Amino acid sequence: MFPSTDRSGTDASDDQVAAGNDADDTVVDGAVADDGTDLGPFEGLEREIRLLIRRAQSSGTSIARRVHPELDASAYPLLAHVAERPGARGSDLATFFGVGRATVSRQLSRLAELGLVERTVDPDDSRGQRITLTPDGAARLDRARSSRVAMLEGALATWETEEVSQLARLLNRYSADIVAWKQSH
């Protein structure tokens, strides 16, 4: 069971939006349209993903600012991915996020300007670069990530640990299946 409500036009903080903490949130067994009618499973899933994305976008600025006051919200996932895969190439990042190389290049340039990443020549291909976090970038990302984990722990305090693990597994499966489907179509 997940919180379900449209959040447009509210004044909730980014963390409240991300956690779904608002008096208007309701918990339902199945997704329900705004008019109260039951939605089918895929319509309900579409609605919940739409709301999840909206909440994630709202909290993105907050989490990015925790890393660096001048960091753009869209760069946080890129930074986190580099932390998980040190030495990634810009082209790999573009493929992973489904964006153009020029977009990733601009974001990496900005991250380098902020002292969060460093680029080195790829020893396997001198035309490419390998991206790693700087020590400062790693420390800042770790603090921001710890803050976000603490928020999730608080927001989901009534959940069983297995429920949180199951949600993580299902979201991972969802992401992998969506990427695979997009690549085949």
Side-chain angles (χ1 to χ4, degrees):
M1 296 188 287
F2 301 98
S4 299
T5 188
D6 198 320
R7 304 277 307 152
S8 55
T10 63
D11 293 325
S13 74
D14 289 341
D15 286 343
Q16 286 174 318
V17 170
N21 294 341
D22 190 295
D24 293 335
D25 281 347
T26 57
V27 177
V28 294
D29 287 328
V32 178
D34 291 336
D35 66 3
T37 58
D38 288 334
L39 296 173
F42 289 98
E43 290 81 6
L45 178 60
E46 184 281 330
R47 181 178 195 274
E48 295 307 316
I49 290 171
R50 176 173 28 96
L51 295 172
L52 181 67
I53 290 169
R54 168 69 168 81
R55 290 177 179 139
Q57 288 170 334
S58 293
S59 70
T61 299
S62 176
I63 191 75
R65 296 291 186 259
R66 287 186 184 124
V67 173
H68 192 285
E70 297 177 39
L71 185 63
D72 184 66
S74 65
Y76 174 79
L78 183 65
L79 195 63
H81 189 77
V82 170
E84 292 171 358
R85 291 165 188 84
R89 294 170 42 115
S91 58
D92 298 333
L93 296 168
T95 299
F96 181 82
F97 287 105
V99 298
R101 289 183 184 180
T103 299
V104 168
S105 180
R106 280 190 302 275
Q107 287 181 326
L108 289 173
S109 292
R110 183 65 180 143
L111 289 171
E113 287 172 16
L114 295 174
L116 302 174
V117 300
E118 55 191 11
R119 297 186 269 191
T120 56
V121 174
D122 183 345
D124 299 328
D125 180 0
S126 61
R127 296 170 297 165
Q129 296 179 332
R130 296 287 181 169
I131 315 301
T132 56
L133 297 185
T134 63
D136 183 48
R140 288 172 176 266
L141 179 65
D142 187 52
R143 284 191 303 270
R145 190 180 276 162
S146 294
S147 173
R148 189 172 233 184
V149 167
M151 181 274 299
L152 289 169
E153 288 174 343
L156 304 180
T158 61
W159 289 37
E160 296 294 327
T161 303
E162 180 51 35
E163 290 175 309
V164 176
S165 295
Q166 181 182 14
L167 177 60
R169 283 191 305 273
L170 289 171
L171 288 172
N172 179 273
R173 181 178 170 192
Y174 163 82
S175 293
D177 288 350
I178 290 293
V179 168
W181 184 86
K182 284 184 175 183
Q183 289 174 344
S184 70
H185 286 82

